[in-house]
Amino acid sequence: MTLSSGLIAAIALLYMALLFAIAFYGERRAALPPRVRAWVFSLSLAVYCTSWTFFGAVGQAAGQLWSFMPIYLGPILLMLLAPRVLQKMVMISKQENITSIADFIAARYGKSQPLAVTITLICLVGMLPYIALQLKGIVLGVTLLTGTSDSVGPGTQDTALIVSLVLALFAILFGTRNLDATEHHRGLVLAIAFESLVKLLAFLAVGIFVTWGLFNGLGDLLTQARAAPQLNDLWSATPTWAALLVQTGVAMMAIICLPRQFHVSVVENTEPRDLEVARWVFPAYLILAVLFVVPIALAGSLLLPAGVNPDSFVISLPLAEKQSALALLAFIGGAPAAPGMV
Protein backbone atom coordinates (compact mmCIF):
# COMPACT_ATOMS: atom_id res chain seq x y z
CA MET A 1 0.00 0.00 0.00
CA THR A 2 1.35 3.43 -0.96
CA LEU A 3 0.21 7.02 -0.60
CA SER A 4 0.23 9.83 -3.13
CA SER A 5 3.04 12.32 -2.90
CA GLY A 6 0.49 15.15 -2.94
CA LEU A 7 -1.26 13.80 0.15
CA ILE A 8 2.03 13.39 1.99
CA ALA A 9 3.12 16.91 1.06
CA ALA A 10 -0.23 18.38 2.13
CA ILE A 11 -0.17 16.66 5.52
CA ALA A 12 3.47 17.59 6.09
CA LEU A 13 2.73 21.22 5.25
CA LEU A 14 -0.29 21.24 7.57
CA TYR A 15 1.85 19.85 10.37
CA MET A 16 4.56 22.45 9.74
CA ALA A 17 1.89 25.15 9.74
CA LEU A 18 0.69 23.86 13.10
CA LEU A 19 4.24 24.12 14.46
CA PHE A 20 4.48 27.68 13.19
CA ALA A 21 1.14 28.51 14.82
CA ILE A 22 2.29 27.06 18.14
CA ALA A 23 5.56 29.00 17.93
CA PHE A 24 3.71 32.21 17.08
CA TYR A 25 1.37 31.66 20.02
CA GLY A 26 4.30 31.01 22.35
CA GLU A 27 6.06 34.20 21.30
CA ARG A 28 2.99 36.44 21.56
CA ARG A 29 1.46 35.27 24.82
CA ALA A 30 2.66 36.09 28.32
CA ALA A 31 5.06 33.81 30.17
CA LEU A 32 3.72 30.34 30.94
CA PRO A 33 2.79 29.35 34.51
CA PRO A 34 5.85 27.96 36.35
CA ARG A 35 4.67 24.34 36.38
CA VAL A 36 3.70 24.37 32.68
CA ARG A 37 6.95 26.14 31.80
CA ALA A 38 8.97 23.44 33.58
CA TRP A 39 7.20 20.67 31.66
CA VAL A 40 7.58 22.48 28.32
CA PHE A 41 11.30 22.93 28.99
CA SER A 42 11.65 19.27 29.98
CA LEU A 43 9.93 18.07 26.81
CA SER A 44 12.00 20.42 24.65
CA LEU A 45 15.12 18.53 25.75
CA ALA A 46 13.82 15.67 23.60
CA VAL A 47 15.15 17.57 20.58
CA TYR A 48 17.96 15.12 21.32
CA CYS A 49 15.87 12.46 19.53
CA THR A 50 16.24 13.35 15.86
CA SER A 51 14.73 11.82 12.74
CA TRP A 52 17.59 9.38 12.52
CA THR A 53 17.19 8.41 16.17
CA PHE A 54 13.52 7.71 15.48
CA PHE A 55 14.25 5.44 12.52
CA GLY A 56 17.85 4.42 13.06
CA ALA A 57 17.58 3.00 16.58
CA VAL A 58 15.36 0.21 15.27
CA GLY A 59 17.80 -0.41 12.41
CA GLN A 60 20.67 -0.69 14.90
CA ALA A 61 18.71 -3.14 17.06
CA ALA A 62 17.93 -5.27 14.00
CA GLY A 63 21.65 -5.62 13.33
CA GLN A 64 22.92 -5.97 16.90
CA LEU A 65 20.23 -6.22 19.53
CA TRP A 66 21.53 -3.82 22.20
CA SER A 67 23.78 -1.54 20.14
CA PHE A 68 21.25 1.30 20.33
CA MET A 69 21.19 1.47 24.13
CA PRO A 70 24.09 3.94 24.68
CA ILE A 71 22.16 6.61 22.75
CA TYR A 72 19.49 6.58 25.46
CA LEU A 73 21.45 5.36 28.48
CA GLY A 74 24.03 8.16 28.44
CA PRO A 75 21.54 11.06 28.86
CA ILE A 76 19.52 9.09 31.44
CA LEU A 77 22.60 8.49 33.60
CA LEU A 78 23.74 12.11 33.37
CA MET A 79 20.33 13.56 34.25
CA LEU A 80 19.76 11.17 37.17
CA LEU A 81 23.27 10.91 38.62
CA ALA A 82 24.92 14.23 37.76
CA PRO A 83 22.25 16.92 37.39
CA ARG A 84 24.55 19.42 39.07
CA VAL A 85 26.69 19.51 35.91
CA LEU A 86 23.87 20.96 33.83
CA GLN A 87 22.72 23.27 36.62
CA LYS A 88 26.20 24.73 36.93
CA MET A 89 26.44 25.23 33.17
CA VAL A 90 23.17 27.17 33.23
CA MET A 91 24.32 29.37 36.12
CA ILE A 92 27.66 30.15 34.49
CA SER A 93 26.02 30.89 31.14
CA LYS A 94 23.60 33.34 32.74
CA GLN A 95 26.43 35.13 34.53
CA GLU A 96 28.63 35.35 31.42
CA ASN A 97 25.78 36.04 28.94
CA ILE A 98 26.77 32.96 26.92
CA THR A 99 24.74 31.96 23.86
CA SER A 100 26.60 28.97 22.37
CA ILE A 101 28.77 26.02 23.31
CA ALA A 102 31.70 27.81 21.64
CA ASP A 103 31.20 30.84 23.90
CA PHE A 104 30.93 28.59 26.95
CA ILE A 105 34.19 26.73 26.36
CA ALA A 106 36.05 29.89 25.33
CA ALA A 107 34.82 31.65 28.49
CA ARG A 108 36.56 29.01 30.61
CA TYR A 109 39.85 30.02 28.95
CA GLY A 110 39.79 33.77 29.34
CA LYS A 111 37.15 34.35 26.63
CA SER A 112 39.66 33.38 23.95
CA GLN A 113 38.30 34.45 20.56
CA PRO A 114 40.58 32.10 18.53
CA LEU A 115 39.38 29.17 20.66
CA ALA A 116 35.74 30.16 20.13
CA VAL A 117 36.28 30.35 16.36
CA THR A 118 37.98 26.95 16.36
CA ILE A 119 35.14 25.34 18.31
CA THR A 120 32.57 26.91 16.01
CA LEU A 121 34.33 25.48 12.98
CA ILE A 122 34.50 22.05 14.63
CA CYS A 123 30.76 22.22 15.35
CA LEU A 124 30.06 23.25 11.77
CA VAL A 125 32.07 20.40 10.27
CA GLY A 126 30.64 17.91 12.76
CA MET A 127 27.03 18.93 12.16
CA LEU A 128 27.08 18.60 8.36
CA PRO A 129 26.98 14.77 8.32
CA TYR A 130 24.46 14.93 11.16
CA ILE A 131 22.15 17.08 9.06
CA ALA A 132 22.72 14.70 6.14
CA LEU A 133 21.39 11.89 8.33
CA GLN A 134 18.23 13.90 8.94
CA LEU A 135 17.78 14.29 5.20
CA LYS A 136 18.32 10.57 4.76
CA GLY A 137 15.67 9.80 7.37
CA ILE A 138 13.08 12.09 5.79
CA VAL A 139 13.77 10.91 2.24
CA LEU A 140 13.55 7.30 3.43
CA GLY A 141 10.09 7.96 4.86
CA VAL A 142 8.87 9.71 1.72
CA THR A 143 10.12 6.98 -0.62
CA LEU A 144 8.48 4.29 1.51
CA LEU A 145 5.10 6.02 1.64
CA THR A 146 5.07 6.79 -2.07
CA GLY A 147 6.37 3.37 -3.07
CA THR A 148 9.33 4.78 -5.00
CA SER A 149 12.78 3.24 -4.93
CA ASP A 150 14.99 4.15 -1.98
CA SER A 151 18.09 4.06 -4.16
CA VAL A 152 19.81 7.28 -5.14
CA GLY A 153 18.24 8.72 -8.25
CA PRO A 154 16.73 11.90 -9.70
CA GLY A 155 13.53 11.53 -7.65
CA THR A 156 15.42 10.99 -4.41
CA GLN A 157 17.72 13.93 -5.14
CA ASP A 158 14.73 16.18 -5.84
CA THR A 159 13.12 15.15 -2.56
CA ALA A 160 16.36 15.80 -0.68
CA LEU A 161 16.66 19.24 -2.28
CA ILE A 162 13.10 20.19 -1.35
CA VAL A 163 13.60 18.95 2.21
CA SER A 164 16.86 20.90 2.47
CA LEU A 165 15.12 24.11 1.41
CA VAL A 166 12.30 23.54 3.92
CA LEU A 167 14.81 22.89 6.72
CA ALA A 168 16.70 26.06 5.80
CA LEU A 169 13.49 28.11 5.84
CA PHE A 170 12.46 26.61 9.17
CA ALA A 171 15.87 27.37 10.69
CA ILE A 172 15.79 30.97 9.46
CA LEU A 173 12.25 31.71 10.68
CA PHE A 174 12.60 29.94 14.01
CA GLY A 175 16.20 30.49 14.96
CA THR A 176 17.76 33.52 13.28
CA ARG A 177 15.10 36.11 12.52
CA ASN A 178 15.53 37.76 15.94
CA LEU A 179 18.57 40.01 16.04
CA ASP A 180 19.03 39.80 19.82
CA ALA A 181 20.96 36.56 20.38
CA THR A 182 20.33 36.70 24.14
CA GLU A 183 16.54 36.75 23.77
CA HIS A 184 14.67 33.64 24.82
CA HIS A 185 12.60 32.05 22.07
CA ARG A 186 9.55 30.86 23.98
CA GLY A 187 7.74 29.99 20.76
CA LEU A 188 10.62 27.85 19.54
CA VAL A 189 10.77 25.91 22.81
CA LEU A 190 6.99 25.42 22.84
CA ALA A 191 7.00 24.11 19.25
CA ILE A 192 9.85 21.69 20.00
CA ALA A 193 8.04 20.45 23.11
CA PHE A 194 4.91 19.78 21.05
CA GLU A 195 6.92 18.02 18.36
CA SER A 196 8.56 15.88 21.06
CA LEU A 197 5.16 14.71 22.25
CA VAL A 198 4.07 13.88 18.70
CA LYS A 199 7.11 11.76 17.90
CA LEU A 200 6.85 9.90 21.21
CA LEU A 201 3.15 9.14 20.72
CA ALA A 202 3.78 8.07 17.11
CA PHE A 203 6.53 5.64 18.12
CA LEU A 204 4.44 4.23 20.97
CA ALA A 205 1.48 3.78 18.61
CA VAL A 206 3.61 1.76 16.17
CA GLY A 207 5.10 -0.26 19.04
CA ILE A 208 1.69 -1.08 20.53
CA PHE A 209 0.33 -2.05 17.10
CA VAL A 210 3.29 -4.33 16.43
CA THR A 211 3.33 -5.98 19.87
CA TRP A 212 -0.41 -6.49 20.37
CA GLY A 213 -1.77 -6.09 16.85
CA LEU A 214 0.60 -8.40 14.99
CA PHE A 215 1.45 -10.65 17.96
CA ASN A 216 -0.26 -11.74 21.15
CA GLY A 217 1.90 -9.54 23.34
CA LEU A 218 5.60 -9.29 24.06
CA GLY A 219 5.89 -12.90 25.24
CA ASP A 220 4.53 -14.27 21.97
CA LEU A 221 6.81 -11.98 19.95
CA LEU A 222 9.92 -13.07 21.88
CA THR A 223 8.96 -16.75 21.61
CA GLN A 224 8.57 -16.55 17.84
CA ALA A 225 11.76 -14.50 17.49
CA ARG A 226 13.81 -17.02 19.47
CA ALA A 227 12.45 -19.88 17.37
CA ALA A 228 13.09 -18.14 14.02
CA PRO A 229 16.18 -19.55 12.22
CA GLN A 230 16.90 -16.23 10.49
CA LEU A 231 17.43 -14.57 13.88
CA ASN A 232 19.93 -17.10 15.24
CA ASP A 233 22.87 -14.79 14.55
CA LEU A 234 21.09 -11.93 16.31
CA TRP A 235 20.63 -13.93 19.53
CA SER A 236 24.07 -15.51 19.47
CA ALA A 237 25.95 -12.23 18.97
CA THR A 238 27.97 -11.19 22.02
CA PRO A 239 27.76 -7.49 22.96
CA THR A 240 31.03 -5.58 22.78
CA TRP A 241 30.91 -4.19 26.30
CA ALA A 242 33.95 -1.96 25.94
CA ALA A 243 32.49 -0.27 22.87
CA LEU A 244 29.10 0.11 24.54
CA LEU A 245 30.74 1.70 27.58
CA VAL A 246 32.65 4.19 25.43
CA GLN A 247 29.52 5.02 23.43
CA THR A 248 27.57 5.59 26.65
CA GLY A 249 30.24 8.04 27.78
CA VAL A 250 30.06 9.85 24.45
CA ALA A 251 26.27 10.05 24.75
CA MET A 252 26.62 11.51 28.25
CA MET A 253 28.79 14.28 26.80
CA ALA A 254 26.52 14.73 23.79
CA ILE A 255 23.54 15.67 25.94
CA ILE A 256 25.39 18.81 27.06
CA CYS A 257 27.84 19.44 24.21
CA LEU A 258 25.76 19.03 21.06
CA PRO A 259 25.02 22.58 19.83
CA ARG A 260 21.24 22.04 19.75
CA GLN A 261 21.26 20.47 23.21
CA PHE A 262 23.33 23.28 24.67
CA HIS A 263 21.00 25.84 23.14
CA VAL A 264 17.81 24.24 24.46
CA SER A 265 19.22 23.11 27.82
CA VAL A 266 21.24 26.20 28.68
CA VAL A 267 20.50 29.20 26.46
CA GLU A 268 16.71 28.75 26.41
CA ASN A 269 16.51 27.94 30.11
CA THR A 270 14.74 30.84 31.81
CA GLU A 271 14.63 29.38 35.31
CA PRO A 272 17.32 27.01 36.68
CA ARG A 273 14.73 25.43 38.99
CA ASP A 274 13.07 23.91 35.92
CA LEU A 275 15.99 21.48 35.77
CA GLU A 276 14.61 19.76 38.87
CA VAL A 277 11.55 18.73 36.86
CA ALA A 278 13.58 17.99 33.72
CA ARG A 279 15.82 15.69 35.75
CA TRP A 280 12.94 13.19 35.97
CA VAL A 281 10.73 14.03 32.99
CA PHE A 282 13.42 13.76 30.31
CA PRO A 283 14.75 10.35 31.47
CA ALA A 284 11.15 9.10 31.68
CA TYR A 285 10.63 10.31 28.11
CA LEU A 286 13.71 8.41 26.91
CA ILE A 287 12.61 5.24 28.71
CA LEU A 288 9.23 5.41 26.97
CA ALA A 289 10.96 6.10 23.65
CA VAL A 290 13.10 2.98 24.03
CA LEU A 291 10.35 0.57 25.11
CA PHE A 292 9.42 -0.72 21.66
CA VAL A 293 12.73 -0.46 19.80
CA VAL A 294 13.55 -4.16 20.23
CA PRO A 295 9.97 -5.40 19.59
CA ILE A 296 9.76 -3.42 16.33
CA ALA A 297 13.20 -4.62 15.26
CA LEU A 298 12.31 -8.26 15.97
CA ALA A 299 8.89 -7.99 14.30
CA GLY A 300 10.40 -6.42 11.19
CA SER A 301 13.02 -9.15 10.96
CA LEU A 302 10.30 -11.81 11.31
CA LEU A 303 7.57 -10.46 9.05
CA LEU A 304 9.24 -8.37 6.35
CA PRO A 305 11.24 -9.67 3.37
CA ALA A 306 14.97 -10.02 3.85
CA GLY A 307 15.83 -7.11 1.57
CA VAL A 308 13.88 -4.47 3.50
CA ASN A 309 16.05 -1.78 5.06
CA PRO A 310 15.89 -2.23 8.88
CA ASP A 311 15.90 1.55 9.31
CA SER A 312 12.49 1.57 7.61
CA PHE A 313 10.78 -0.95 9.92
CA VAL A 314 8.84 1.75 11.80
CA ILE A 315 7.04 2.67 8.57
CA SER A 316 7.35 -0.58 6.61
CA LEU A 317 5.52 -2.72 9.18
CA PRO A 318 2.30 -0.63 9.15
CA LEU A 319 2.48 -0.36 5.36
CA ALA A 320 2.84 -4.13 5.00
CA GLU A 321 -0.30 -4.58 7.11
CA LYS A 322 -2.19 -1.96 5.05
CA GLN A 323 -2.28 0.47 7.98
CA SER A 324 -1.58 3.58 5.91
CA ALA A 325 -2.80 5.99 8.60
CA LEU A 326 -0.42 4.51 11.15
CA ALA A 327 2.44 4.58 8.63
CA LEU A 328 1.71 8.24 7.94
CA LEU A 329 1.65 8.94 11.68
CA ALA A 330 5.05 7.26 11.98
CA PHE A 331 6.36 9.50 9.21
CA ILE A 332 4.91 12.62 10.85
CA GLY A 333 6.48 11.54 14.15
CA GLY A 334 9.93 10.88 12.72
CA ALA A 335 10.52 13.21 9.81
CA PRO A 336 9.56 16.56 11.39
CA ALA A 337 12.04 15.91 14.21
CA ALA A 338 14.68 17.19 11.78
CA PRO A 339 13.60 20.87 11.73
CA GLY A 340 13.84 21.04 15.53
CA MET A 341 17.35 19.60 15.39
CA VAL A 342 18.41 22.04 12.69
Side-chain angles (χ1 to χ4, degrees):
M1 175 177 291
T2 59
L3 302 175
S4 69
S5 58
L7 176 62
I8 296 171
I11 293 177
L13 288 174
L14 284 174
Y15 182 77
M16 293 292 290
L18 177 60
L19 287 182
F20 276 106
I22 291 172
F24 182 82
Y25 170 79
E27 288 183 355
R28 293 297 184 270
R29 67 154 288 156
L32 296 171
R35 183 172 296 181
V36 176
R37 182 197 63 220
W39 275 83
V40 168
F41 170 74
S42 302
L43 289 171
S44 71
L45 296 181
V47 71
Y48 176 78
C49 299
T50 64
S51 292
W52 198 245
T53 307
F54 189 92
F55 298 118
V58 173
Q60 282 186 285
Q64 189 175 0
L65 204 55
W66 304 110
S67 60
F68 70 95
M69 282 302 295
I71 300 173
Y72 299 91
L73 188 58
I76 291 173
L77 290 176
L78 180 72
M79 296 297 290
L80 294 181
L81 302 181
R84 182 63 181 166
V85 173
L86 193 54
Q87 291 173 346
K88 192 170 183 179
M89 290 177 65
V90 171
M91 293 173 62
I92 292 173
S93 297
K94 301 305 179 190
Q95 293 171 1
E96 301 289 336
N97 200 27
I98 289 170
T99 59
S100 71
I101 185 66
D103 289 344
F104 182 84
I105 296 176
R108 311 311 294 163
Y109 293 91
K111 295 188 176 181
S112 170
Q113 186 174 7
L115 179 59
V117 171
T118 302
I119 295 168
T120 301
L121 291 175
I122 291 173
C123 290
L124 176 63
V125 173
M127 293 305 290
L128 288 178
Y130 212 161
I131 294 174
L133 280 178
Q134 309 313 304
L135 294 176
K136 184 177 180 181
I138 296 174
V139 172
L140 175 65
V142 172
T143 55
L144 286 170
L145 291 174
T146 58
T148 56
S149 172
D150 61 356
S151 58
V152 177
T156 301
Q157 293 173 354
D158 291 344
T159 302
L161 176 61
I162 294 171
V163 171
S164 301
L165 294 175
V166 172
L167 291 184
L169 177 64
F170 191 90
I172 292 170
L173 293 178
F174 268 81
T176 62
R177 65 186 177 88
N178 288 328
L179 297 179
D180 185 1
T182 64
E183 181 182 352
H184 293 290
H185 304 81
R186 292 196 303 268
L188 171 67
V189 174
L190 188 61
I192 291 176
F194 175 79
E195 173 257 327
S196 297
L197 276 178
V198 171
K199 64 188 174 189
L200 177 62
L201 293 175
F203 196 80
L204 290 176
V206 175
I208 291 170
F209 167 75
V210 167
T211 306
W212 285 278
L214 303 182
F215 298 88
N216 293 321
L218 185 59
D220 178 45
L221 172 57
L222 291 176
T223 299
Q224 293 193 37
R226 287 192 174 277
Q230 69 267 34
L231 297 183
N232 286 340
D233 291 341
L234 186 65
W235 294 112
S236 61
T238 303
T240 308
W241 296 110
L244 292 178
L245 183 62
V246 171
Q247 291 167 7
T248 301
V250 171
M252 291 179 70
M253 292 185 288
I255 198 62
I256 57 176
C257 293
L258 283 173
R260 70 178 186 279
Q261 286 301 135
F262 184 89
H263 184 84
V264 174
S265 306
V266 177
V267 178
E268 295 293 349
N269 179 275
T270 57
E271 178 53 63
R273 288 179 299 179
D274 292 347
L275 290 169
E276 292 297 326
V277 177
R279 180 188 177 187
W280 304 105
V281 173
F282 183 48
Y285 181 99
L286 293 178
I287 291 171
L288 289 174
V290 83
L291 280 180
F292 292 105
V293 170
V294 171
I296 294 174
L298 294 177
S301 300
L302 282 172
L303 301 178
L304 296 174
V308 175
N309 185 352
D311 295 327
S312 72
F313 283 177
V314 179
I315 294 178
S316 295
L317 279 168
L319 282 179
E321 299 298 323
K322 302 189 185 322
Q323 299 291 328
S324 56
L326 183 59
L328 188 58
L329 176 62
F331 172 75
I332 291 297
M341 174 262 175
V342 173

